[in-house]
Amino acid sequence: MPRSEDELATIMLMNGIGTILSYVGELFMIYSYFAHPYNRRYSMKLVISLIFSDVGYTFANTLSYFNRNHHICFIEGFLRCFFVISSLVWVMIMLHISYKQIVNPSPRIEEGYPKLLALNIGLSMVPVIVVAFSHLTSQEAYYGHFLGFCGVVPEFWEMVLIEVPMWFLIISTGFYIYWIVRAMRTLHPNKTNVEYRSIIIYPIILTVLWLPNTIDRIIYFFTDDTIYEIALLHIIATRLEGFANAVIYGKRHLKILKAAKKRSLTSFLKSGAFAQELQISEADL
């Protein structure tokens, strides 16, 4: 059933508010990463890679206000599809690396980052190129409008290219969290290895915030209609992902800054006390 003008206006308002908040959160995290040397550990590099994907998705949401032009609609749909898949791939990489480093740490783990980046871009390009090719030829699948936003249509292809990977992520996140918690209790009962343990909160945030979207899409797939309240919750939750990540990041970041203020930054970074303060801060998360 078509949404009323008031309902669509509310959806677009929530999109705008969430988009602004996410821009603020994402830019804060990116600035903090490059501005403070103690943030540039490999675990945070993976988190910031996820945040760059979030920025791309947020930009796609910004284009929603200009998508009456079919060229902009195509760009919005292309970017939305690419960066959603990119976020999912980064989350799976973060979970796998975290588990691997907790169970069997490798001092050379950072050397594999270029390959992970290439893997992410390659996997993210597959669905967007498939849809773009179809859009320009048979139009069996194409980038079109849905509730005022441009994405993959018809719904069957949205389910295959976006929702099925999302379900895989949700299930995999549950398994990885279980494995990581079990490994921490068995191998690190005193929480001495907390660097990679602390970043699993970001995959959890993404999984939780994208659940309303998954429910909304399933309902539409089987009924060819949406429930307004669930659709609105879907928009609010997914648009706040960048902001929610920044809240968690900010909590940890402020604790480390408080520790750094106890002495000059130079002597703090050179001393072994930094590692101890960092472990204390992250163990509280």
Side-chain angles (χ1 to χ4, degrees):
M1 159 175 140
R3 302 266 72 92
S4 68
E5 290 187 7
D6 288 341
E7 289 174 338
L8 289 176
T10 301
I11 287 174
M12 295 307 293
L13 175 63
M14 293 299 101
N15 176 72
I17 293 174
T19 295
I20 292 172
L21 290 175
S22 281
Y23 270 133
V24 172
E26 291 154 1
L27 293 177
F28 161 70
M29 292 181 70
I30 292 171
Y31 168 78
S32 297
Y33 176 77
F34 288 104
H36 302 291
Y38 53 79
N39 265 338
R40 297 177 198 166
R41 295 167 299 134
Y42 188 56
S43 60
M44 288 310 302
K45 186 174 185 178
L46 296 177
V47 172
I48 293 302
S49 298
L50 171 63
I51 297 306
F52 273 108
S53 293
D54 288 346
V55 171
Y57 179 73
T58 303
F59 179 70
N61 293 330
T62 305
L63 293 180
S64 300
Y65 296 96
F66 312 98
N67 64 18
R68 291 185 179 181
N69 180 294
H70 70 277
H71 295 297
I72 295 180
C73 183
F74 180 93
I75 295 172
E76 178 192 345
F78 186 97
L79 293 177
R80 187 182 303 280
C81 182
F82 177 86
F83 285 111
V84 167
I85 297 298
S86 178
S87 294
L88 299 184
V89 175
W90 277 125
V91 163
M92 292 304 303
I93 289 173
M94 289 169 61
L95 288 169
H96 181 71
I97 294 295
S98 296
Y99 178 72
K100 184 177 179 180
Q101 287 300 98
I102 289 172
V103 174
N104 186 24
S106 170
R108 303 177 63 182
I109 189 68
E110 295 187 42
E111 296 177 6
Y113 182 81
K115 293 181 180 179
L116 294 177
L117 179 60
L119 175 66
N120 183 287
I121 294 173
L123 291 177
S124 302
M125 285 300 296
V126 171
V128 298
I129 290 178
V130 169
V131 177
F133 180 78
S134 177
H135 183 108
L136 298 173
T137 55
S138 66
Q139 292 207 338
E140 182 177 349
Y142 59 96
Y143 296 116
H145 289 84
F146 179 79
L147 287 179
F149 304 99
C150 288
V152 179
V153 291
E155 191 64 19
F156 171 79
W157 288 104
E158 170 78 16
M159 293 288 287
V160 171
L161 297 175
I162 304 295
E163 299 308 318
V164 170
M166 182 67 68
W167 300 340
F168 177 78
L169 167 69
I170 292 172
I171 295 171
S172 298
T173 298
F175 279 107
Y176 267 110
I177 297 301
Y178 171 76
W179 294 333
I180 289 172
V181 170
R182 185 178 63 177
M184 285 297 300
R185 289 177 177 175
T186 304
L187 303 175
H188 308 282
N190 297 322
K191 298 182 179 179
T192 55
N193 187 339
V194 295
E195 177 183 351
Y196 289 92
R197 170 181 170 271
S198 67
I199 68 171
I200 64 174
I201 186 63
Y202 298 101
I204 294 174
I205 289 174
L206 186 145
T207 300
V208 171
L209 292 181
W210 278 83
L211 274 175
N213 168 77
T214 300
I215 296 171
D216 186 33
R217 292 295 185 176
I218 291 174
I219 292 173
Y220 185 80
F221 183 78
F222 288 105
T223 67
D224 201 28
D225 195 8
T226 59
I227 298 175
Y228 171 69
E229 290 76 13
I230 295 179
L232 183 61
L233 181 60
H234 149 208
I235 296 300
I236 294 172
T238 54
R239 275 37 172 191
L240 287 176
E241 182 186 341
F243 180 73
N245 285 333
V247 170
I248 299 298
Y249 174 84
K251 175 187 173 184
R252 169 191 166 278
H253 185 67
L254 288 175
K255 287 181 179 180
I256 298 176
L257 282 178
K258 288 180 181 178
K261 287 180 180 179
K262 294 179 180 179
R263 65 192 71 188
S264 67
L265 184 59
T266 302
S267 61
F268 182 73
L269 291 174
K270 290 181 179 179
S271 70
F274 170 69
Q276 182 180 359
E277 293 284 0
L278 181 60
Q279 288 181 356
I280 293 173
S281 297
E282 290 186 324
D284 291 335
L285 292 177

